Amino acid sequence: MAEKCPVIHGAGASVSDRKRVAEKPKTVRDWWPETLDLRLLHQDPISARPSHVPHPHSATVEGSSSLPAAAYASYASRLSLVDLSELRNDIYEALTTSNPAWPADYGHYGPLMIRLAWHAAGTYRVLAPLNSWPARRYILWPIKQKYGQALSWADLILLAGNVAIESMMGDWGTVEPLWFGFGRVDAFAPEEDVYWGHEHEWLEDSRHDKSKPAADDVTGLEHGLVNPQGPGGDPDIIQSAKDIRTTFARMGMGDSETVALIAGGHTFGKAHGAADPDTYVAADPEGAPIEAMNIGWKNSFGSGKGKDTITSGLEGGWTKDPAKWDNGYFSNLFKYDWEQTKSPAGAIQWVPTEASIAANGGMSAVSNVVDAHDSSKSHLPIMFTTDLALRFDDVYGPISKRFHDSPGEFEDAWKRAWHKLLHRDMGPKSRHLGPYSVTEELIWMDPIPPIDYATVSSNDVRFLKGKILDAVNRAEASIPDLVKASWASASTYRCTDHRGGANGGRIRLEPQRSWPANDPASLAKVIAALEAIQLQFNKTQAATGTQVSFADMVVLGGCVAIEEAARRAGHTVRVPFVAGRADSSQQQTDVASFDAALKPRMDGFRNYDASSDARPERGLIDRAHLLTLTAPEMCVLIGGMRVLGANADNSSVGVLTDRPGVLSTDFFASICDDNITWTPMSCGKLFQGSRPAGKPFTASRVDLVLGSNSQLRAICESYASADSTEPFLRDFVSAWSKVMMLDRFDLLQPNQGKEESTTVLYYSKTVSRL
């Protein structure tokens, strides 16, 4: 009985008790909602996972005696010991063995697995808690349990999608394996940077900004997913095409890839809408009762599974045999005219018109869809509003007709688009593990050529550093010029998809050399000076086979600048440097993609702000997160780069020192100086700081947030203290080197289960070769 239980229950609890439960304790963000959110910089820490589970950042951070050695165990090494043929057969057996706990549509879990892989890899959010999917709990968990930490959930889910496709494209074992790269490492804490939009309930449609009219290619679609019934539930086919184009473009897909993905995905399986989800589907996994054990959306309609399954609310299949690859999707799309109907759940969908059925031979000739659980039954094929967009949109229509007429071209396009969907966040080929990796050079993977020469030795590095310093002394490039160029090259890195970084030397190519954030005039001087040194060195060393890339030169230039700036402050530092970067060509660079995805609109580290955001400090946190920086690393880099004069436009904003170009703690001393009075300037983003002595300083919101935010101020105060010089220099060099090394995946090789440490950084600094 409730009164015997020490837990407050809704029915038997007093009004005050229920109110106390409903009103959870207030947090700092409840009281001060505008406080800068630093959680992005502290998410998924190593401490959140068991010691034997590799951390996503363990492939790029340096070894530390303060952390368990097992935390740096190589996923690549463990995976290399797995019998991948056995693994693939295990997945195939699981996909083709129906589990009564969740009966397989058509006796095959392949279509379900394709959707699970799609949602894991795509930018969709309706099925966000993937751990609640029956496919994961009933089908894949026994496989994951068998292989343990040698196989991540991320790799298993996507590989299962590949095996599913292969198993439905021909007899198992006869179909050539699809391209697949292993190497994804699991998170053990929720991501803080996932954008859930402005919806307050699941599947609300406030993702559409009604204040923005739907015109041309603008539909007002917020970051989110396309509603298959049409924008806002309105079955407008043409406007639906615009939403599709917007969403798939955010996934890096072109029009042909978009058509191939939708058509290929809908060649398999069916939608599930046996009844109204609002009536029969219970709470999501995180909101379900504790005894549900993280299985959410419990379905109380009928058996709750099989023919009674409810997911999207739409119901039916697209092709005659949904567990087999064919060209039936396009055949049906173009053969029939379509009329609106509603699923049993009330969702808008489309079926062939009676007239078009009669015109194509009557009901006996209709490509009816076999029932998912009773082979004696069949159903009319369906289409979503989004499917019809592939026929009637001016761009998608001709592509769909071409695929309809050329099944071989469609199959190839589907495989390539599917590979891109699953791997577009994997970075260059050097991060792709296993024997099924892509065999072609694909420009969307930002290819970097292999090195076919001997890289520079420690003596060569000393020689090149001397030449760079000579160029500085001849005023061919200044210390700020070198720092900015090095930062501009490396700081394009994004941990979310492992794109960008210094490797490839694309800072000398378009579009990066012309980005306003990179100060093209300053960058041009650095490129000219470094290329001249590189050319002369490579010419001299041609006989020995030793060469140096421009990518290495631009990073080395930053090392020289920092060391010289520290020397001018009276200190000696050695900035670690690892040779081995290669130079990509202009032909290996997707200019449009780089501009769309990597071009900085805001970079607080260089005090660059071309955005309309009234609070650019939020963009600073996002940039720091993409560079995997902690809050202290972010602060120390800003403080150091400011005194080095590394602003994008050579401005003095934030250079809170009277001796610019000297690596000192002056920035922190100024930001913590209460004798400086800050006053907003007319633009609203800049501030003037009046000092008791000396010219006034000018600072940005990014600068002042380091002194106004309590967490960041505490960090700054530690560097402003009298005993902070040595820690500041050490921490700045460490954080700088981390950014320069973020994309050095070429150093990460499997060691057959053994971990070794190799001196790959000059000046006796070591990293684990994981």
Side-chain angles (χ1 to χ4, degrees):
M1 296 178 63
E3 61 266 27
K4 297 292 186 180
C5 179
V7 177
I8 299 173
H9 293 269
S14 67
V15 173
S16 61
D17 284 340
R18 291 199 299 271
K19 183 177 180 181
R20 177 163 55 85
V21 171
E23 294 183 355
K24 63 180 183 179
K26 293 291 188 292
T27 67
V28 171
R29 295 198 60 78
D30 291 322
W31 289 115
W32 297 284
E34 295 303 312
T35 298
L36 189 63
D37 191 350
L38 302 179
R39 289 176 297 176
L40 267 181
L41 308 183
H42 307 135
Q43 60 181 346
D44 194 24
I46 289 179
S47 58
R49 64 188 57 227
S51 62
H52 67 296
V53 181
H55 188 275
H57 294 168
S58 65
T60 52
V61 299
E62 297 177 22
S64 171
S65 59
S66 63
L67 295 171
Y72 292 93
S74 170
Y75 177 50
S77 296
R78 299 185 188 195
L79 180 71
S80 68
L81 303 177
V82 172
D83 184 331
L84 297 180
S85 177
E86 179 182 351
L87 168 61
R88 286 166 47 80
N89 284 325
D90 287 344
I91 294 173
Y92 172 76
E93 291 298 325
L95 297 186
T96 54
T97 305
S98 185
N99 187 329
W102 191 263
D105 293 342
Y106 317 106
H108 200 305
Y109 288 114
L112 178 63
M113 205 60 57
I114 290 172
R115 280 152 182 78
L116 177 63
W118 182 300
H119 286 279
T123 54
Y124 296 86
R125 59 185 170 168
V126 164
L127 299 166
L130 291 177
N131 60 355
S132 180
W133 277 54
R136 178 188 182 277
R137 300 290 284 266
Y138 298 131
I139 307 167
L140 296 183
W141 166 239
I143 299 172
K144 170 63 176 168
Q145 189 174 33
K146 172 181 177 179
Y147 291 93
Q149 303 315 312
L151 179 67
S152 68
W153 268 116
D155 275 346
L156 173 57
I157 289 172
L158 300 193
L159 178 63
N162 269 26
V163 171
I165 293 170
E166 295 163 21
S167 68
M168 294 185 288
M169 296 191 85
D171 295 332
W172 177 246
T174 65
V175 177
E176 184 178 353
L178 299 174
W179 288 334
F180 187 82
F182 293 87
R184 304 162 187 85
V185 182
D186 296 329
F188 270 67
E191 293 180 321
E192 299 289 348
D193 57 318
V194 174
Y195 183 75
W196 295 95
H198 290 104
E199 297 170 3
H200 299 287
E201 295 181 11
W202 290 98
L203 296 180
E204 253 189 349
D205 198 54
S206 55
R207 66 178 69 99
H208 279 87
D209 185 349
K210 302 302 191 296
S211 68
K212 296 180 180 179
D216 298 328
D217 60 345
V218 179
T219 65
L221 181 68
E222 192 187 15
H223 297 285
L225 100 148
V226 175
N227 187 332
Q229 300 179 67
D234 177 11
D236 186 321
I237 295 171
I238 301 305
Q239 292 301 323
S240 182
K242 295 174 183 177
D243 273 4
I244 293 171
R245 185 165 288 108
T246 298
T247 295
F248 277 78
R250 290 171 181 162
M251 297 161 63
M253 300 295 173
D255 290 328
S256 292
E257 293 167 325
T258 299
V259 172
L261 279 173
I262 294 176
H266 288 182
T267 295
F268 301 116
K270 66 182 292 288
H272 300 84
D276 184 3
D278 291 337
T279 302
Y280 294 101
V281 178
D284 59 86
E286 300 302 322
I290 194 170
E291 66 270 18
M293 296 298 285
N294 201 235
I295 291 185
W297 297 302
K298 184 176 181 181
N299 178 9
S300 61
F301 179 74
S303 67
K305 55 192 176 184
K307 65 181 179 60
D308 300 321
T309 301
I310 304 173
T311 54
S312 66
L314 296 126
E315 172 63 32
W318 298 264
T319 67
K320 184 176 182 179
D321 190 347
K324 180 181 178 181
W325 174 262
D326 55 31
N327 212 28
Y329 174 87
F330 286 122
S331 295
N332 285 343
L333 182 65
F334 286 101
K335 180 188 297 184
Y336 301 110
D337 296 326
W338 299 83
E339 62 182 359
Q340 281 186 48
T341 186
K342 287 193 175 182
S343 73
I348 296 173
Q349 54 191 57
W350 304 70
V351 294
T353 64
E354 290 186 9
S356 66
I357 290 175
N360 284 280
M363 287 298 296
S364 62
V366 171
S367 299
N368 281 327
V369 182
V370 65
D371 188 86
H373 299 280
D374 185 346
S375 59
S376 67
K377 298 180 181 179
S378 62
H379 309 274
L380 285 174
I382 67 154
M383 291 286 165
F384 298 162
T385 302
T386 47
D387 291 309
L388 297 184
L390 301 192
R391 173 177 170 180
F392 293 105
D393 179 73
D394 289 343
V395 177
Y396 292 150
I399 296 171
S400 296
K401 191 65 173 68
R402 190 175 77 244
F403 286 161
H404 177 219
D405 296 338
S406 304
E409 182 183 355
F410 169 46
E411 180 176 322
D412 182 68
W414 154 248
K415 290 178 179 178
R416 289 175 179 275
W418 175 259
H419 174 263
K420 184 175 181 178
L421 176 72
L422 267 57
H423 296 81
R424 73 191 188 286
D425 62 347
M426 281 284 287
K429 287 174 63 174
S430 57
R431 293 194 72 252
H432 296 219
L433 306 173
Y436 312 122
S437 294
V438 59
T439 56
E440 297 179 14
E441 184 176 276
L442 304 173
I443 194 169
W444 60 264
M445 295 176 69
D446 303 334
I448 298 172
I451 290 178
D452 57 0
Y453 51 81
T455 57
V456 290
S457 67
S458 56
N459 287 333
D460 295 328
V461 168
R462 282 189 285 270
F463 173 81
L464 290 168
K465 289 173 69 174
K467 291 296 183 181
I468 295 172
L469 190 56
D470 289 343
V472 171
N473 294 331
R474 292 193 302 268
E476 295 173 3
S478 67
I479 285 178
D481 290 335
L482 291 171
V483 172
K484 288 189 296 182
S486 191
W487 179 264
S489 180
S491 67
T492 51
Y493 179 81
R494 308 193 309 184
C495 69
T496 50
D497 58 6
H498 306 288
R499 294 191 71 186
N503 205 356
R506 288 187 170 89
I507 191 66
R508 77 198 192 285
L509 306 174
E510 295 296 347
Q512 289 178 241
R513 67 181 296 155
S514 297
W515 286 344
N518 293 346
D519 198 351
S522 168
L523 179 58
K525 292 192 297 182
V526 173
I527 292 174
L530 296 183
E531 283 187 334
I533 298 171
Q534 176 199 16
L535 179 64
Q536 183 60 39
F537 176 85
N538 288 347
K539 182 179 179 180
T540 303
Q541 296 294 320
T544 68
T546 300
Q547 301 283 274
V548 65
S549 66
F550 182 84
D552 272 344
M553 287 295 296
V554 76
V555 172
L556 189 59
C559 297
V560 170
I562 292 170
E563 292 174 1
E564 175 61 14
R567 186 194 65 78
R568 294 179 183 183
H571 308 287
T572 299
V573 299
R574 289 293 180 263
V575 181
F577 172 76
V578 187
R581 298 169 183 84
D583 291 335
S584 297
S585 67
Q586 189 68 64
Q587 291 69 34
Q588 293 172 311
T589 303
D590 188 341
V591 174
S593 175
F594 270 76
D595 260 335
L598 300 182
K599 182 179 181 179
R601 273 70 178 177
M602 185 185 303
D603 183 357
F605 294 93
R606 290 179 283 180
N607 244 339
Y608 176 77
D609 182 9
S611 74
S612 58
D613 193 343
R615 297 185 62 193
E617 61 271 22
R618 293 181 295 201
L620 168 69
I621 302 302
D622 182 61
R623 172 62 57 181
H625 157 61
L626 293 175
L627 295 173
T628 74
L629 298 175
T630 63
E633 288 171 334
M634 178 187 75
C635 290
V636 79
L637 280 171
I638 291 174
M641 291 179 68
R642 290 293 187 274
V643 297
L644 289 173
N647 282 342
D649 56 359
N650 291 322
S651 77
S652 60
V653 175
V655 184
L656 309 183
T657 178
D658 292 321
R659 43 179 186 160
V662 174
L663 190 56
S664 69
T665 60
D666 289 357
F667 173 88
F668 299 110
S670 297
I671 213 71
C672 297
D673 188 348
D674 291 333
N675 293 314
I676 299 178
T677 302
W678 295 100
T679 306
M681 300 174 70
S682 59
C683 65
K685 289 188 179 183
L686 296 180
F687 302 80
Q688 187 174 75
S690 299
R691 298 191 287 167
K695 295 180 180 179
F697 285 142
T698 303
S700 68
R701 289 187 61 91
V702 166
D703 297 313
L704 294 194
V705 78
L706 270 64
S708 64
N709 179 277
S710 59
Q711 290 177 257
L712 300 180
R713 185 179 183 89
I715 295 170
C716 291
E717 287 174 348
S718 72
Y719 288 122
S721 301
D723 60 351
S724 65
T725 298
E726 184 177 343
F728 161 71
L729 293 172
R730 180 181 64 244
D731 293 352
F732 178 78
V733 168
S734 177
W736 176 272
S737 300
K738 175 179 177 177
V739 174
M740 297 300 117
M741 291 291 292
L742 285 171
D743 66 341
R744 293 302 306 275
F745 312 117
D746 54 302
L747 297 177
L748 310 175
Q749 302 294 331
N751 294 321
Q752 299 299 318
K754 299 178 181 179
E755 182 181 7
E756 64 182 44
S757 182
T758 304
T759 302
V760 293
L761 293 176
Y762 294 112
Y763 309 116
S764 301
K765 196 171 181 65
T766 63
V767 297
S768 284
R769 188 184 291 273
L770 301 173

